[in-house]
């Protein structure tokens, strides 16, 4: 498993963000029974930068907490059965790892939301990474049933990894 992290802001998050990513990313992939070694990139940024990306890619001109950019096209959540049919599209030719995608997180939102929801920054960051990883595995929350399925998985993963409210 390869996890690339880039910290692109002067605003300090004040927690061991790399350790949390190392905890949560493999936990999600284990939970979702991903059969491949995988590669994920996380960019930690500020509200201004994530707002610009959100405006550019989603046409929403406001800061958000997390953005997910999946590399795999899923017809069904966490159904990895088709990826070997397009090795050149989905796997890193140098490492052989499945390229799941990129995550962008606003450290300002991590700080704000941890305070707002009354839990630690560690828990908030773990939640955002788990949420985004599920998006990279093909989940969405466009309707109530999808949202409930995603939320249930997030809760179980965070609980299992010891990130409680």
């Amino acid at each position: 498993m390869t996890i690339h992290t880039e910290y692109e802001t002067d605003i300090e998050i004040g927690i061991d963000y790399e350790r949390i990513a190392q905890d949560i990313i493999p936990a999600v992939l284990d939970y979702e029974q991903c059969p491949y070694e995988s590669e994920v990139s996380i960019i930690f940024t500020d509200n201004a930068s994530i707002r610009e990306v959100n405006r550019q890619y989603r046409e929403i001109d406001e800061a958000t907490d997390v953005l997910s950019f999946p590399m795999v096209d899923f017809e069904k959540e966490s159904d990895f059965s088709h990826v070997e049919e397009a090795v050149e599209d989905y796997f890193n030719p140098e490492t052989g790892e499945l390229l799941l995608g990129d995550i962008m997180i606003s450290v300002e939102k991590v700080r704000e939301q941890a305070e707002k929801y009354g839990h630690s920054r560690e828990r908030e960051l773990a939640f955002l990474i788990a949420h985004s990883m599920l998006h990279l595995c093909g989940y969405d929350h466009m309707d109530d049933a999808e949202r409930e399925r995603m939320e249930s998985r997030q809760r179980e993963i965070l609980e299992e990894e010891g990130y409680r409210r």
Side-chain angles (χ1 to χ4, degrees), residues 35-119:
Y36 302 102
E37 288 296 315
S38 301
E39 184 175 323
V40 175
S41 295
I42 304 180
I43 298 170
F44 295 91
T45 192
D46 53 36
N47 282 348
S49 295
I50 206 166
R51 178 182 181 168
E52 177 59 28
V53 174
N54 200 23
R55 185 190 59 72
Q56 182 179 356
Y57 286 94
R58 298 177 62 221
E59 298 180 359
I60 300 173
D61 190 15
E62 62 186 45
T64 188
D65 50 7
V66 63
L67 292 171
S68 309
F69 299 95
M71 298 287 288
V72 177
D73 298 316
F74 289 95
E75 288 186 29
K76 182 178 184 293
E77 300 98 342
S78 290
D79 179 1
F80 297 92
S81 63
H82 70 290
V83 296
E84 288 187 29
E85 296 168 10
V87 170
E88 64 282 350
D89 293 334
Y90 296 133
F91 290 87
N92 181 328
E94 295 174 11
T95 65
E97 292 178 320
L98 179 64
L99 298 167
L100 281 175
D102 303 324
I103 299 169
M104 179 177 261
I105 295 175
S106 167
V107 298
E108 288 178 272
K109 290 289 185 183
V110 170
R111 292 165 51 149
E112 292 167 17
Q113 290 175 179
E115 186 173 324
K116 177 180 177 180
Y117 298 123
H119 54 240

Side-chain angles (χ1 to χ4, degrees), residues 65 109-115 117 119-129 163 165:
D65 50 7
K109 290 289 185 183
V110 170
R111 292 165 51 149
E112 292 167 17
Q113 290 175 179
E115 186 173 324
Y117 298 123
H119 54 240
S120 69
R121 291 179 185 176
E122 289 86 354
R123 196 277 179 193
E124 183 63 22
L125 180 58
F127 168 81
L128 293 175
I129 293 172
Y163 291 95
R165 285 189 154 198

